[in-house]
Amino acid sequence: MTSCLIAMNMTRGVRLTECGRVADTFFPKLVGLLRDKSLEYGDGLWIMKCNSIHSIGMKFIFDAIFLDKNLRVVHLVRQMKPWQISKIVFSAHSVLEVPAGHIERTATEIGDQFEMGLDVSHGIR
């Protein structure tokens, strides 16, 4: 059984992922979303100990939410296109990558408080 990341914007009362993934070790952080052809609604990738991202080699556009150690939003990247590099966000401790348009759909803003949890009831993906 695989654990699914549930990312919740507590300020807005909305979920951004239903069954996201966590990249907290070298290989998952290195590969990120490079193997994916798209990022479906409810999916996402939470990259731990990260303050800058890239989309070199990516095949799709996505949104990125930079979070500090307390899971408060400190920077937003809307519609990050393939072959881009984000700025370094020194106050960020992690980045949540979600489907393009998710920041807009959920009204996520800088200062919003997030909560992350794992749901182990989902089957193997």
Side-chain angles (χ1 to χ4, degrees):
M1 196 168 290
T2 302
S3 298
C4 291
L5 173 73
I6 296 173
M8 180 82 175
N9 181 331
M10 301 303 288
T11 304
R12 309 286 164 202
V14 295
R15 280 189 183 188
L16 278 88
T17 67
E18 296 292 328
C19 195
R21 297 166 274 172
V22 178
D24 58 355
T25 58
F26 178 75
F27 190 70
K29 288 168 71 172
L30 178 69
V31 174
L33 297 173
L34 288 172
R35 292 181 174 171
D36 296 20
K37 293 184 174 120
S38 66
L39 197 54
E40 300 300 323
Y41 184 86
D43 195 6
L45 181 68
W46 186 28
I47 307 168
M48 304 296 297
K49 295 185 181 175
C50 175
N51 64 6
S52 178
I53 58 170
H54 71 85
S55 59
I56 297 169
M58 299 281 287
K59 300 169 185 78
F60 54 91
I61 298 170
F62 63 95
D63 287 353
I65 301 165
F66 289 71
L67 303 163
D68 68 11
K69 286 184 181 182
N70 298 313
L71 301 180
R72 191 166 298 277
V73 178
V74 293
H75 183 68
L76 297 167
V77 177
R78 292 172 178 83
Q79 308 279 327
M80 187 160 180
K81 296 176 179 79
W83 302 96
Q84 303 291 308
I85 299 173
S86 77
K87 72 178 195 172
I88 297 171
V89 182
F90 292 103
S91 58
H93 186 259
S94 64
V95 179
L96 178 64
E97 297 177 345
V98 294
H102 239 44
I103 290 172
E104 187 75 28
R105 275 192 295 279
T106 60
T108 296
E109 295 180 3
I110 292 173
D112 285 0
Q113 181 66 54
F114 269 65
E115 187 173 290
M116 305 297 196
L118 292 178
D119 180 356
V120 294
S121 65
H122 283 78
I124 297 174
R125 294 176 48 149

